């Protein structure tokens, strides 16, 4: 009875947390027909001439108001660069932003930067997708701890992560790059990429699951299914990298020959499907089948891979 009750509680919590994650994906990653990204190259003398705005508060960066910062930078004719994203911890006196040219940095710019970078005591999901992912990951880590040893709950978390990641892969990641009305680069931030999203979803679970062949195989199966949602080469390469990491972790700990064979087989299937994805992507590029935003159409109008 205790085991059944614990299972019901775990399923309820996983369902609620995964619902929050999916809401974050829908809110933060709108399915926009975005313009192709414009050039974001910094001036060659940026490092030599930029000056630093430092933080006066300590805590987690909760959000960055890029639109207000664009107005500020345009008004003062400067370029503002951020080398961190929402969710990172900022120390008092840390480098909040770089302003170029540094000779134009003044008190109004410093005040504007500090007002538009919100720092608080805890992380929030406002602009931090990895924060929402972490809540699901924490459930899997607790389930895989020696005290609980519940791989089935960890596999349920992997399923829910796969559902949220599949939605995210169908969307455009937001960009922090901003140009003024004349096309002059004014804001450059640290954009979120699918590499970072997949890392947040998989790294810790893989490390904790290395001694659980069933979980490792399940994670390889998640990559196999996520291949169906790949839209870009970056997504494909990131998934392949994680499949290699899953297989290596599992094989390093598995002693039973049958377990090793199953891990090898699951990895081979995931790799084969990702390779087919790349092949179809090249064929689609050659035939001109692309979305309006320039992303190659992968599976639209094609049969699902076996």
């Amino acid at each position: 009875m205790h085991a059944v009750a614990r299972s019901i509680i775990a399923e309820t919590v996983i369902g609620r947390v995964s619902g929050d994650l999916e809401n974050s994906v829908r809110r933060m990653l709108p399915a926009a027909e975005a313009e192709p990204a414009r050039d974001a190259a910094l001036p060659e003398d940026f490092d030599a001439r930029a000056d630093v705005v430092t933080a006066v508060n300590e805590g987690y960066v909760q959000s960055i108001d890029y639109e207000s910062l664009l107005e500020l930078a345009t008004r003062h004719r400067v370029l503002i660069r951020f080398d961190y994203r929402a969710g990172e911890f900022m120390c008092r006196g840390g480098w909040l932003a770089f302003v170029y040219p540094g000779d134009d940095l003044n008190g109004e710019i410093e005040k504007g930067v500090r007002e538009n970078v919100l720092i608080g005591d805890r992380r929030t999901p406002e602009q931090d997708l990895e924060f929402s992912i972490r809540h699901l990951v924490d459930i899997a880590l607790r389930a895989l701890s020696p005290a609980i040893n519940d791989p089935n709950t960890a596999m349920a978390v992997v399923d829910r992560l796969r559902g949220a990641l599949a939605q995210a892969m169908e969307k455009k990641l937001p960009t922090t790059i901003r140009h003024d009305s004349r096309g002059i680069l004014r804001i450059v931030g640290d954009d979120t990429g699918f590499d970072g999203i997949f890392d947040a979803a998989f790294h810790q679970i893989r490390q904790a699951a290395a001694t659980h062949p069933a979980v490792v195989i399940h994670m390889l199966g998640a990559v196999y299914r996520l291949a169906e949602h790949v839209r870009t080469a970056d997504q494909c390469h990131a998934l392949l990298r994680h499949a290699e990491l899953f297989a290596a972790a599992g094989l390093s700990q598995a002693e039973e020959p049958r377990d090793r064979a199953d891990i090898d087989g699951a990895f081979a299937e995931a790799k084969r499907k990702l390779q087919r994805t790349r092949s179809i992507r090249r064929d689609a590029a050659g035939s001109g089948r692309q979305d309006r935003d320039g992303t190659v159409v992968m599976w639209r109008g094609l049969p699902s891979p076996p």
Side-chain angles (χ1 to χ4, degrees), residues 217-253:
I217 293 167
H218 199 73
M219 294 178 78
L220 287 165
V223 172
Y224 177 90
R225 287 300 177 190
L226 283 172
E228 300 165 13
H229 303 274
V230 165
R231 296 174 65 244
T232 68
D234 289 344
Q235 292 174 350
C236 189
H237 295 154
L239 283 175
L240 179 58
R241 178 172 64 89
H242 277 284
E244 292 170 345
L245 290 171
F246 297 156
L251 292 172
S252 70
Q253 298 294 324

Side-chain angles (χ1 to χ4, degrees), residues 29-298:
L29 309 180
E33 295 286 343
E35 297 178 0
R38 287 184 284 179
D39 180 46
L42 296 173
E44 291 184 0
D45 60 348
F46 183 89
D47 289 339
R49 297 186 59 194
D51 204 349
V52 177
V53 177
T54 58
V56 296
N57 299 317
E58 181 171 280
Y60 290 98
V61 177
Q62 296 177 337
S63 65
I64 303 173
D65 189 343
Y66 293 106
E67 300 307 322
S68 295
L69 288 163
L70 172 60
E71 295 178 7
L72 176 72
T74 302
R75 187 165 63 250
H76 290 275
R77 299 181 180 180
V78 296
L79 168 61
I80 303 176
R81 165 80 169 103
F82 299 89
D83 64 355
Y84 57 87
R85 299 192 294 267
E88 295 194 25
F89 188 83
M90 179 66 63
C91 296
R92 189 174 292 105
W95 292 0
L96 200 63
F98 300 89
V99 176
Y100 172 90
D103 292 341
D104 292 341
L105 178 59
N106 56 42
E108 185 179 347
I109 296 175
E110 289 186 344
K111 180 182 177 183
V113 169
R114 289 169 179 151
E115 287 179 346
N116 288 292
V117 179
L118 181 61
I119 296 176
D121 292 335
R122 59 185 63 85
R123 293 175 70 173
T124 70
E126 182 65 26
Q127 293 180 349
D128 185 5
L129 185 61
E130 294 179 12
F131 172 75
S132 299
I133 291 173
R134 192 187 71 177
H135 283 300
L136 262 183
V137 171
D138 284 345
I139 297 173
L141 297 180
R142 289 182 174 86
L144 292 170
S145 66
I148 297 177
N149 193 26
D150 182 9
N152 288 327
T153 293
M155 288 189 283
V157 168
V158 172
D159 289 339
R160 295 291 189 162
L161 284 171
R162 174 162 65 90
L165 292 175
Q167 292 184 41
M169 291 167 67
E170 299 288 344
K171 300 178 182 293
K172 271 275 191 185
L173 293 180
T175 181
T176 59
I177 298 166
R178 299 289 187 275
H179 296 76
D180 64 18
S181 59
R182 295 182 298 166
I184 299 174
L185 181 65
R186 295 299 183 190
I187 303 293
V188 177
D190 186 11
D191 283 348
T192 299
F194 280 101
D195 264 332
I197 291 174
F198 292 149
D199 288 351
F202 294 138
H203 269 333
Q204 288 182 289
I205 298 179
R206 183 197 77 244
Q207 293 159 0
T211 57
H212 296 269
V215 180
V216 172
I217 293 167
H218 199 73
M219 294 178 78
L220 287 165
V223 172
Y224 177 90
R225 287 300 177 190
L226 283 172
E228 300 165 13
H229 303 274
V230 165
R231 296 174 65 244
T232 68
D234 289 344
Q235 292 174 350
C236 189
H237 295 154
L239 283 175
L240 179 58
R241 178 172 64 89
H242 277 284
E244 292 170 345
L245 290 171
F246 297 156
L251 292 172
S252 70
Q253 298 294 324
E255 298 180 357
E256 171 59 42
R258 186 66 244 179
D259 290 340
R260 296 179 64 85
D262 288 344
I263 292 171
D264 278 331
F267 172 64
E269 288 296 314
K271 185 176 181 179
R272 188 178 302 115
K273 195 166 186 179
L274 287 169
Q275 287 172 337
R276 185 181 180 194
T277 296
R278 286 188 296 195
S279 175
I280 293 176
R281 185 178 190 275
R282 286 193 296 268
D283 291 345
S287 65
R289 295 198 303 274
Q290 298 182 343
D291 286 332
R292 288 170 57 190
D293 63 4
T295 301
V296 174
V297 176
M298 297 300 306

